[in-house]
Amino acid sequence: MASAGDYLVLTKPRVVAMVLVTTAVGFHLGSAGSALVLPLLYTLAGTALAAGGTLALNQYMERDLDARMERTRHRPLPGGRVASRRGARARMCPPRGGRRSPRLGVDPLAAIVTAAIAITYLLLYTPLKRVSSLCSLVGAIPGALPPVAGWAAARGTLGLEPWILFAIMFLWQIPHTLAIGRMYRDDYARAGIRVLAVVDRGGRTTGVQAVCNCLALLPVALLPTVVGLAGSAYFLVALVLGLAFLWSAVGLARGGRAADARRLLFTSLVYLPVVLAVMALDKLAS
């Protein structure tokens, strides 16, 4: 029998939390002067509802794949604790609320970006996972848009700065997801999910892609200082962490082992929150 916790799991709370953090950073950086609390709360409420609903629908669409993988077969839908029909009904409420909430106190542009996230995630990324290793590149698009939505909610327009945030998020996600793909390669192969690590059994292309994206991220992550979005402290932190991220990617390219992928994943999980936190603090100090 399904519990409230099972329905909560359908929304992937940890992923939603990351979306909220990156949205809040985009809002903070986009606000001219002090951030307005009420529009920020409306933005985060709408984002949480939309993200939770999108992720629940994703699990509904992939319940057959989840049932084949060791790490996901105990989720509420494949585990049988939530019936498919109930899961489909449960995921309908959050997106509707998510579409309404931004209109209460936030510019409609933020709602448009949020809708683009849901559309690309569900209609492009989700079905592509079954047919092509390009799914990781496509999936990085909705994953990189939350700070753009936050910026749009704060300012009502989009300029160069939010797209720099998008580029940082996009380039960060590629080595991050490549590491996950290598760690759970056998699980993905069993489910028929064609991430690059499954297609590239030797691991050479996976390692090269990780290195290339970390190399591209290194200068792109310094652009916030160049355009005045952050200061010199951010520049130094982004440079040091970027080099560490690149070194971990080189380790995966040279070794190709699950342990190398785990090290790269750990580095990626340190890199993003620290870089975003320092960027946000730099604005407070300016």
Side-chain angles (χ1 to χ4, degrees), residues 129-147:
K129 289 165 73 174
R130 300 173 185 257
V131 298
S132 174
S133 61
L134 292 175
C135 61
S136 296
L137 290 174
V138 174
I141 296 172
L145 281 172

Side-chain angles (χ1 to χ4, degrees), residues 62 64-69 126-133 135 184-196 198-199:
E62 294 187 335
D64 60 324
L65 302 183
D66 285 346
R68 301 176 203 164
M69 292 195 292
T126 297
L128 196 59
K129 289 165 73 174
R130 300 173 185 257
V131 298
S132 174
S133 61
C135 61
Y184 299 104
R185 181 172 63 188
D186 294 339
D187 233 8
Y188 284 125
R190 190 179 303 113
I193 299 176
R194 297 180 63 81
V195 294
L196 184 57
V198 171
V199 178

